[in-house]
Amino acid sequence: MNRIDFKNIYFQKDKLWALIWGAGLFLLWLWDLIFLNAPALRKLETAFFNTLFIGLLTIVFSLAMAWLSAMLIHFSKDRFNGIFFFPLKTGINLIRSVPQILGILIGYIFITRFLENTTLATPTLMVLMAFIISLFIFLEISDLMLERIGHFKKTDFFNASKVCGIPEFYTINFDILYKNSWIHIFNKLIAVFGMTVFLICSIDFIVSVGLSTDVNITNFPSTLGSMLAQIDSKQDILAIGSTLTNPFYFPNLFLRHLQGISVAFLIVFTLLSVYKISDGFARRYHI
């Protein structure tokens, strides 16, 4: 029975890569537990879990914003002579016109300016960071929801539901989005999670390098991006170049330069794993 289960997992690439990701994280943690000093290990663990927490919180915010915007766009289009539809579309198109990384960076600038005059608890900061990232990501999910609603509106099923007296709101949310689109939405959420991790690491790296002199880096929650910007991690990453001229120095990377190597590995390995999980999930359900 176990052999059959493992065989199924091997051919289901999303589950296989989820196991690979979990196993890789566990092995890295064991290696760091043995060879990395305790303070650095605690910082690495905190940065990793903060990154995951912000990423998951961003997905929750993005899903809520996407659903709300999809409902407003759909129901305002044919109601009230469309007077709310065009301002709503204009606002959404305005958000869409701003590059994601630039919009998030502007949001972080406001947080930085706010921290110059006051202090915020770490959980509050992480919520703010997740909310700002969600503002420039939720359209990915909203577009998918509207696409699925538009697809089913062209079918006889939608018109038959209206003839039977079933409320349109119920048909859209239960029959279309939940029963017939949850696979598509869940796969999009996996992809959005990977995008969120990339944006968090990129923006936090930039912010950590270019913070205002009035704001200390410790005011921001530690993430993999901000930890990568620390001088110790930079030196560890630069040590990789030493192996080009001195290949015998390579084993030292995993002992003397473990902090930076671990941070870089976590970022790259997580992004690769999330991509493979999303791709495997899409292939398994043929979407």
Side-chain angles (χ1 to χ4, degrees):
M1 184 66 180
N2 291 333
R3 294 175 60 185
I4 297 177
D5 291 340
F6 279 114
K7 183 178 179 180
N8 290 335
I9 291 176
Y10 176 78
F11 288 106
Q12 296 174 355
K13 299 302 182 181
D14 53 331
K15 296 181 180 179
L16 176 63
W17 272 96
L19 288 176
I20 292 174
W21 183 46
L25 295 179
F26 180 71
L27 291 175
L28 177 64
W29 178 78
L30 285 180
W31 185 269
D32 287 343
L33 185 64
I34 298 172
F35 296 105
L36 188 62
N37 62 80
L41 178 60
R42 287 195 296 270
K43 288 168 58 178
L44 182 62
E45 291 172 344
T46 301
F48 177 73
F49 285 113
N50 283 349
T51 303
L52 287 188
F53 178 75
I54 295 172
L56 293 174
L57 197 59
T58 299
I59 287 180
V60 174
F61 286 156
S62 299
L63 184 61
M65 293 180 188
W67 177 82
L68 181 61
S69 65
M71 294 301 102
L72 289 175
I73 290 174
H74 175 76
F75 287 103
S76 65
K77 188 173 184 179
D78 300 322
R79 288 170 172 78
F80 309 108
N81 296 321
I83 58 176
F84 298 112
F85 174 75
F86 293 104
L88 181 62
K89 286 291 292 184
T90 301
I92 289 178
N93 289 335
L94 183 62
I95 296 175
R96 197 189 304 274
S97 65
V98 179
Q100 290 177 332
I101 195 165
L102 178 60
I104 297 170
L105 185 58
I106 293 173
Y108 271 45
I109 291 174
F110 281 106
I111 295 179
T112 302
R113 292 302 181 187
F114 184 73
L115 289 176
E116 292 179 355
N117 302 316
T118 186
T119 57
L120 292 175
T122 297
T124 305
L125 270 175
M126 289 195 288
V127 170
L128 282 176
M129 292 163 67
F131 180 77
I132 289 173
I133 296 173
S134 302
L135 284 175
F136 299 94
I137 286 184
F138 80 94
L139 292 176
E140 300 274 345
I141 309 172
S142 178
D143 291 343
L144 174 62
M145 290 182 175
L146 290 172
E147 180 184 343
R148 297 297 295 173
I149 293 171
H151 170 73
F152 281 94
K153 279 190 68 175
K154 299 176 183 178
T155 63
D156 295 334
F157 155 76
F158 188 82
N159 293 325
S161 298
K162 294 181 68 175
V163 170
C164 293
I166 301 175
E168 185 176 347
F169 184 83
Y170 177 87
T171 302
I172 289 176
N173 285 278
F174 183 75
D175 292 317
I176 296 178
L177 294 182
Y178 175 66
K179 292 183 66 176
N180 291 285
S181 302
W182 76 267
I183 293 176
H184 302 76
I185 295 174
F186 186 76
N187 185 62
K188 176 62 71 173
L189 292 179
I190 297 174
V192 165
F193 177 75
M195 184 191 310
T196 302
V197 172
F198 172 77
L199 289 172
I200 291 172
C201 295
S202 301
I203 295 297
D204 282 355
F205 181 84
I206 296 172
V207 172
S208 298
V209 171
L211 280 174
S212 167
T213 55
D214 296 326
V215 181
N216 192 284
I217 193 171
T218 57
N219 294 124
F220 275 77
S222 176
T223 64
L224 293 177
S226 61
M227 194 168 181
L228 190 64
Q230 295 178 8
I231 187 64
D232 293 340
S233 297
K234 289 180 182 178
Q235 292 175 344
D236 293 339
I237 298 300
L238 290 174
I240 299 177
S242 302
T243 61
L244 299 178
T245 56
N246 184 13
F248 295 102
Y249 191 76
F250 182 77
N252 294 315
L253 295 178
F254 306 100
L255 298 173
R256 298 181 183 178
H257 306 283
L258 193 52
Q259 176 178 312
I261 297 298
S262 297
V263 174
F265 175 79
L266 281 173
I267 295 174
V268 175
F269 183 59
T270 297
L271 292 177
L272 174 64
S273 299
V274 172
Y275 168 76
K276 290 292 187 179
I277 291 171
S278 176
D279 182 67
F281 188 86
R283 291 177 182 273
R284 182 154 66 97
Y285 287 99
H286 307 287
I287 57 176

